[in-house]
Amino acid sequence: MPEFLKLLSCDEARRILAGFAPVGGEDVPTARGLGRVLAEDFRAPHDLPREPRSTVDGYAVRAKDTFGASDGVPCYLKLIGAVPMGGVFAGAIGAGEAVAISTGGVVPEGADGVVMIEYVDAARDGEIEIHRGVSPLENVIRRGDDLTSGDVVVARGRRLRPADIGALAGFGQTRVRVFRAPRVAVLSTGNEVVAPDIEPAPGQVRDVNQYALAAQGERAGAEATLAGIVRDDAPALRARVAELLEVHDVVMLSGGSSVGARDVAAEVVGSLGPRGVLLHGINIRPGRPTLVADIGGKPVLGMPGFPVSAMVIFDVFVRPLLRRIGGEAGREEWPARRRARFARRYASAVGREDWVRVRLAGEWASPILGGSAAISTVLRADGYVRVEAGVEGIDEGAEVDVLLMTE
């Protein structure tokens, strides 16, 4: 009977998975870049703004001409024109002069402040009456105050957000270099597995994992392929995996990674390339019989056959892998989390990393008990509580971090 090569710790498994290189890049229109990962730093080609601009509606002035102005003692300035929207004022402001300006307008030469329109009244003979003075640069954004030429506007490895798209467009960047979305094939194995549209015979089960894992892959930013079902036949499995590796960056095998006599994934995958199987067995619950191989620099993952185990292993190991080879950098692994109190005592085996499915109700997180075959334990779960390998369990009422499944 086949055996695990070695039962590795979760940290060792993470270190192995961190060794896979990112996929290649491609150019896309900036307008289609939302959610894609930037493949190279974008630096500002010029200062932003290029000219000093007003941040309010009002009057551009020399600040020192307004010093001391108040409701009781206003100052009077000569209005000599207005800044046209989309243009600049033709001329310069001199002593005792003012120019009307709208928000975003270019501050005329000679002016160094803008009085808000609320503090100005019209006066006679083309003058304005100012009831509040301004300091130099008040209500003015200077050239380069936002971004300076050469600044990194959006860094490599960032998943582009709406603000990033706007900034790129604002600098005239109509196309952007991004990483390709990793192409992931999900292949189910086993004589007992049938397609969802087949009525299972006694001893058979419908294929849950292929669809769940593909959906998880899509949500992680990958392009997932439903690659079908292969029976417990080593030559057929070898041929199909080799075929999928030609056009995909990652292949996930659902089932066939355990230690049963019919589980042929390790043997088949190990024969496909020089590096072959890197790990077969992780000290985790659920999902211990997980397999990771390197075939030509591409990860081949043998996922557990039970749905709960497969989905947990995806969340814990595969999602970070896909984000990393998809070029994403600096992202917190579990950005959505919440503090809660554990609703009952939970015992865990020291030395094993335990991922407990929990349901939230107010301030409480209740463990959902059930085996790896019970998909209801993830259907009812809001998140996970991770029990570190060196911890015996969780006491009732203990504060825990709930890692939410919302991402």
Side-chain angles (χ1 to χ4, degrees):
M1 177 182 292
E3 296 180 353
F4 291 119
L5 299 181
K6 183 182 180 183
L7 202 59
L8 299 184
S9 71
C10 290
D11 287 342
E12 289 174 300
R14 293 182 180 98
R15 179 184 56 78
I16 288 170
L17 288 165
F20 289 98
V23 299
E26 61 183 355
D27 291 332
V28 300
T30 299
R32 305 296 299 171
L34 183 65
R36 302 298 299 274
V37 178
L38 197 65
E40 54 190 27
D41 287 346
F42 176 75
R43 295 181 178 274
H46 54 74
D47 291 342
L48 192 71
R50 291 188 174 190
E51 314 94 348
R53 292 181 178 268
S54 175
T55 61
V56 297
D57 292 339
Y59 295 86
V61 298
R62 299 194 321 167
K64 63 182 179 182
D65 290 342
T66 70
F67 289 170
S70 66
D71 287 334
V73 185
C75 73
Y76 296 87
L77 300 178
K78 182 180 180 181
L79 183 63
I80 62 171
V83 177
M85 288 305 297
V88 295
F89 180 73
I93 290 179
E97 296 178 335
V99 169
I101 191 169
S102 299
T103 302
V106 177
V107 176
E109 183 181 348
D112 61 356
V114 177
V115 181
M116 294 177 67
I117 197 170
E118 292 92 326
Y119 304 118
V120 180
D121 290 325
R124 298 178 180 178
D125 302 323
E127 287 188 325
I128 57 173
E129 182 178 275
I130 297 175
H131 299 274
R132 180 175 174 180
V134 293
S135 303
L137 300 179
E138 187 172 343
N139 300 323
V140 173
I141 181 171
R142 295 173 297 178
R143 173 184 176 130
D145 266 358
D146 193 357
L147 290 162
T148 302
S149 178
D151 283 351
V152 174
V153 180
V154 190
R156 180 183 190 269
R158 182 184 180 96
R159 193 171 293 275
L160 295 174
R161 304 178 302 182
D164 303 321
I165 299 298
L168 292 166
F171 279 110
Q173 192 75 12
T174 59
R175 296 189 68 82
V176 63
R177 185 74 174 170
V178 296
F179 286 98
R180 281 194 300 100
R183 302 185 186 110
V184 179
V186 186
L187 177 66
S188 288
T189 68
N191 295 340
E192 75 282 10
V193 182
V194 298
D197 59 348
I198 301 293
E199 183 65 31
Q204 293 182 326
V205 293
R206 286 195 175 102
D207 189 356
V208 172
N209 286 4
Q210 183 174 178
Y211 293 84
L213 292 171
Q216 285 181 300
E218 292 278 355
R219 193 166 69 168
E223 294 177 359
T225 299
L226 297 171
I229 302 170
V230 175
R231 294 175 63 82
D232 292 317
D233 177 273
L237 181 58
R238 183 180 296 108
R240 183 62 174 143
V241 173
E243 178 185 21
L244 292 171
L245 282 169
E246 290 182 3
V247 292
H248 294 86
D249 304 299
V250 180
V251 174
M252 277 193 284
L253 306 178
S254 169
S257 66
S258 189
V259 294
R262 293 187 300 109
D263 294 329
V264 297
E267 174 190 344
V268 166
V269 171
S271 69
L272 287 172
R275 293 202 70 197
V277 176
L278 303 180
L279 71 85
H280 189 189
I282 303 175
N283 207 356
I284 188 173
R285 186 175 72 171
R288 190 173 72 156
T290 300
L291 179 150
V292 177
D294 181 343
I295 307 300
K298 297 180 178 181
V300 176
L301 310 170
M303 306 293 283
F306 284 140
V308 174
S309 297
M311 295 179 73
V312 171
I313 289 299
F314 185 97
D315 280 339
V316 176
F317 296 110
V318 183
R319 184 178 63 190
L321 168 70
L322 294 181
R323 293 203 183 280
R324 187 166 50 253
I325 69 171
E328 196 166 3
R331 183 190 181 100
E332 186 180 350
E333 192 166 315
W334 290 93
R337 59 179 67 208
R338 177 177 152 188
R339 294 294 287 175
R341 297 175 64 193
F342 213 66
R344 55 175 293 181
R345 190 178 187 282
Y346 180 85
S348 181
V350 175
R352 177 187 63 200
E353 191 169 290
D354 214 342
W355 287 74
V356 186
R357 280 81 66 206
V358 298
R359 187 170 189 173
L360 290 167
E363 65 174 325
W364 294 97
S366 299
I368 301 174
L369 305 180
S372 299
I375 196 170
S376 61
T377 67
V378 286
L379 289 176
R380 294 186 288 120
D382 296 304
Y384 302 108
V385 171
R386 174 187 176 187
V387 183
E388 300 283 354
V391 177
E392 293 182 355
I394 307 173
D395 291 330
E396 181 179 344
E399 282 201 355
V400 293
D401 252 347
V402 179
L403 308 175
L404 300 178
M405 294 177 174
T406 56
E407 190 185 26

